[in-house]
Amino acid sequence: EFERLFTAYGKNFNILVYADSHRQLLRTTSCGHVINTGSVGNALGIARLSFAILDIADDGSYTVSFHSAPYDKQSAAMETDAYPDMPFKEEYLQELFIGRYARKHSSKSRSIL
């Protein structure tokens, strides 16, 4: 499936980058590299933020490096107080602190703080 994206919009690409799909990824295909930068908070079991740095030189060569760091989960959780009607608030807060999906969906939101 990735291969057809390398020729999207009538152009040829050799790098595809996407984000917020949980786990970081670097995959080499016959057309180029596919890079997933990671996500903040729900990296499927890793409650950290993750990101990638893509450095492209003038000659078109490139390097990618993947990074992970802690972040202030308490502050992020407190920001939800500004949204009392936030859908799936409880599930979001669980994901924030444990780094994986809270599969249960409820109609009520309550704080776990």
Side-chain angles (χ1 to χ4, degrees):
E1 292 298 316
F2 285 127
E3 278 79 7
R4 66 186 172 90
L5 295 174
F6 283 99
T7 57
Y9 308 106
K11 297 183 178 185
N12 292 318
F13 301 99
N14 59 359
I15 307 171
L16 295 175
V17 179
Y18 62 102
D20 200 26
S21 294
H22 311 292
R23 291 267 168 105
Q24 293 173 317
L25 169 103
L26 173 61
R27 178 168 292 161
T28 302
T29 72
S30 60
C31 299
H33 291 104
V34 178
I35 299 166
N36 177 15
T37 63
S39 68
V40 175
N42 188 353
L44 300 176
I46 304 166
R48 296 170 57 93
L49 65 87
S50 57
F51 61 97
I53 296 175
L54 177 61
D55 185 19
I56 303 174
D58 291 338
D59 67 0
S61 63
Y62 52 90
T63 59
V64 63
S65 57
F66 293 98
H67 304 274
S68 172
Y71 66 100
D72 188 348
K73 296 174 195 71
Q74 198 68 30
S75 289
M78 289 174 60
E79 287 181 24
T80 66
D81 291 341
Y83 305 97
D85 297 325
M86 179 179 171
F88 306 114
K89 185 175 183 177
E90 179 181 349
E91 291 82 0
Y92 168 76
L93 292 169
Q94 288 177 347
E95 289 179 11
L96 189 68
F97 286 98
I98 64 174
R100 61 183 168 184
Y101 284 124
R103 302 274 179 194
K104 181 185 102 180
H105 293 280
S106 67
S107 59
K108 294 184 180 181
S109 297
R110 65 185 168 102
S111 177
I112 62 168
L113 304 176

